Amino acid sequence: VVKSLYALEYILLGVKVIYFLRGYSGSSFLINMIFQVLEDMSVFLVIVAVVTFSFSGAFYLLLTHSGDCCKDAEVSAVEVLYSSYLILLGETDVVESFLGDWIRIVFVAYTLINLIVLLNLLIAVISDTFDKVQDNADHARNAEL
């Protein structure tokens, strides 16, 4: 428990250092950009979570209720959710446990939606945020100083 609290303390310390770096002219634009991107991404992250949970449920049902399960005898919903998250990050070693035609079709749909559609949506959100922050850069810089 103590090591976990220390780890959390390091993360919070890093956030605090970043917060104080907003006062310097060289880093204020970038730090404002980071905070604005995180704020604008909130709806996007909800969409990603819904898609990931939906496909994780489909993977779980197909893995547990089919005659040909995976290599391991038991698979939990948490493991399937974590595997779906790893797929979202580009991990392909997880796919070896997916047997059956339906599960591969669902996997292809999941990767197409997440890696092509949602990734392009993320790029558009960040690009729009960059334009907004750059338009307000002078005003924000004067407000920080």
Side-chain angles (χ1 to χ4, degrees):
V1 174
V2 174
K3 286 187 179 182
S4 299
L5 290 175
Y6 284 150
L8 179 62
E9 187 177 352
Y10 270 106
I11 293 170
L12 294 176
L13 179 65
V15 171
K16 193 168 193 169
V17 168
I18 288 173
Y19 179 77
F20 284 119
L21 285 175
R22 289 175 33 188
Y24 295 102
S25 61
S27 60
S28 64
F29 173 76
L30 295 174
I31 293 170
N32 285 334
M33 176 74 182
I34 290 170
F35 285 121
Q36 191 64 46
V37 165
L38 290 174
E39 183 181 319
D40 291 349
M41 277 181 39
S42 60
V43 175
F44 171 79
L45 292 175
V46 169
I47 293 170
V48 168
V50 168
V51 169
T52 302
F53 277 105
S54 300
F55 277 93
S56 294
F59 287 140
Y60 181 74
L61 288 175
L62 289 171
L63 282 171
T64 57
H65 298 300
S66 64
D68 49 28
C69 187
C70 49
K71 294 178 183 175
D72 300 329
E74 273 303 308
V75 62
S76 71
V78 174
E79 290 173 350
V80 173
L81 180 61
Y82 184 66
S83 296
S84 297
Y85 174 72
L86 290 178
I87 293 169
L88 178 67
L89 296 177
E91 180 70 39
T92 57
D93 294 339
V94 178
V95 181
E96 295 173 0
S97 63
F98 291 170
L99 303 173
D101 294 334
W102 279 109
I103 207 160
R104 291 180 187 207
I105 291 170
V106 172
F107 171 76
V108 168
Y110 177 64
T111 54
L112 285 175
I113 289 171
N114 271 323
L115 297 178
I116 295 175
V117 176
L118 292 180
L119 191 61
N120 283 319
L121 179 63
L122 176 63
I123 292 169
V125 167
I126 292 174
S127 176
D128 184 50
T129 301
F130 180 79
D131 290 341
K132 285 192 303 188
V133 170
Q134 196 169 21
D135 289 343
N136 297 327
D138 292 332
H139 176 69
R141 184 180 311 114
N142 293 336
E144 294 294 331
L145 298 175

